[in-house]
């Protein structure tokens, strides 16, 4: 019995010491060189800890607002969040880059990265009409602004796939209104389907697991 009491006491003491050490470390985590924050961003990304990387970025941004390391940090974090399927955070970094460091030479590339993160996020927004309409507007905007960009073919490919995704969404809505016997609403969404693209692409319907279909339309 005394052994278990002693063991519990040791665990509590160890926890207090660890907390105190972390707390002391956190209090000293300020007024560091820009390279210190940047290197820690890279280290946390390598460890897969993007939350930690974001925190180090916040310190870099607040302590060294004019550091030449900031643009690289934004791009690296944007791409890291894209790889981790955290697309809203990815878009945040790309937007920040465009606002602060966008130029005539790099704006098309950064915008392309932003659209790419949105494209990868399509699987998480399969029933979001606003997501599709906003994305398609963004694709149109890119093609209007940068008609000679080297990224135009890639953006056009993503755009086509978004239209097909929107078609699939509209087909699902059509089925709902058919079941509810609402002919006007049914026709409204039938008119939104790009029949020519459907005929030429002949897309396969997205796979939906049976346990999702149970609660699906």
């Amino acid at each position: 019995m005394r052994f278990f009491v002693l063991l519990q006491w040791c665990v509590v003491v160890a926890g207090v010491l660890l907390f105190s050490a972390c707390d002391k470390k956190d209090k000293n985590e300020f007024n560091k060189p820009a390279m210190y924050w940047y290197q820690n961003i890279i280290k946390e990304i390598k460890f897969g800890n993007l939350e930690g990387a974001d925190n180090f970025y916040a310190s870099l941004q607040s302590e060294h607002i004019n550091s030449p390391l900031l643009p690289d940090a934004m791009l690296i974090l944007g791409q890291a969040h894209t790889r981790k399927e955290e697309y809203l955070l990815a878009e945040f970094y790309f937007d920040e880059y465009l606002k602060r460091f966008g130029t005539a030479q790099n704006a098309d590339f950064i915008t392309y990265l932003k659209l790419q993160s949105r494209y990868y996020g399509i699987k998480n927004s399969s029933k979001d009409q606003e997501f599709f309409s906003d994305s398609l507007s963004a694709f149109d905007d890119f093609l209007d602004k940068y008609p000679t960009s080297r990224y135009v073919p890639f953006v056009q490919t993503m755009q086509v796939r978004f239209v097909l995704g929107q078609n699939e969404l509209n087909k699902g809505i059509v089925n709902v209104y058919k079941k509810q016997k609402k002919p006007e609403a049914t026709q409204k969404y039938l008119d939104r389907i790009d029949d020519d693209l459907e005929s030429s692409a002949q897309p396969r319907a997205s796979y939906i697991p049976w346990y999702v279909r149970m609660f699906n339309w």
Side-chain angles (χ1 to χ4, degrees), residues 91-152:
E91 285 196 43
F92 163 78
Y93 283 110
F94 296 138
D95 278 334
E96 284 298 299
Y97 189 104
L98 284 168
K99 289 175 187 175
R100 296 183 55 184
F101 306 109
T103 66
Q105 288 71 41
N106 65 27
D108 65 328
F109 173 61
I110 306 303
T111 305
Y112 163 70
L113 291 178
K114 179 182 173 182
L115 292 175
Q116 189 179 57
S117 70
R118 183 163 283 251
Y119 170 70
Y120 289 140
I122 193 172
K123 62 184 178 182
N124 298 332
S125 307
S126 59
K127 286 184 168 46
D128 190 336
Q129 295 184 62
E130 185 176 1
F131 175 83
F132 277 101
S133 60
D134 288 349
S135 299
L136 288 169
S137 294
F139 288 127
D140 287 337
D141 188 53
F142 179 96
L143 296 173
D144 287 341
K145 284 184 178 179
Y146 315 111
T148 61
S149 169
R150 70 181 70 182
Y151 304 105
V152 162

Side-chain angles (χ1 to χ4, degrees), residues 17 19 21-22 24 48 66-67 85 90 100 107-108 118 120 124 129 131-132 142 147 150 161-162 171 176 181 184 199:
L17 291 174
F19 177 79
C22 292
K24 183 178 180 182
N66 295 316
S67 171
E85 300 184 359
R100 296 183 55 184
D108 65 328
R118 183 163 283 251
Y120 289 140
N124 298 332
Q129 295 184 62
F131 175 83
F132 277 101
F142 179 96
R150 70 181 70 182
R161 293 187 178 181
F162 257 82
K171 288 178 186 177
V176 171
K181 298 182 179 179
E184 291 183 6
S199 178

Side-chain angles (χ1 to χ4, degrees), residues 34 56 58 76 79-80 84 102 104-105 168 180 195 209 214:
F56 282 118
I76 291 169
Q79 291 173 310
K84 203 170 182 182
Q105 288 71 41
E168 185 173 24
Q180 296 177 352
D195 292 322
M214 289 176 62

Side-chain angles (χ1 to χ4, degrees), residues 2 23 38 50 60 74 103 109 171 198 206:
R2 292 177 61 189
D23 187 53
Y38 182 81
L50 295 193
L60 173 63
M74 289 179 182
T103 66
F109 173 61
K171 288 178 186 177
E198 286 286 306
S206 300

Side-chain angles (χ1 to χ4, degrees), residues 163-173 198 204-207:
V163 173
L164 290 172
Q166 189 178 54
N167 282 352
E168 185 173 24
L169 171 61
N170 288 330
K171 288 178 186 177
I173 297 173
E198 286 286 306
R204 290 184 294 179
S206 300
Y207 170 72

Side-chain angles (χ1 to χ4, degrees), residues 38 41 45 57 60 68-78 93:
Y38 182 81
I41 290 170
I45 289 174
Y57 168 80
L60 173 63
L69 295 173
L70 270 174
D72 282 349
M74 289 179 182
L75 284 184
I76 291 169
L77 281 163
Y93 283 110

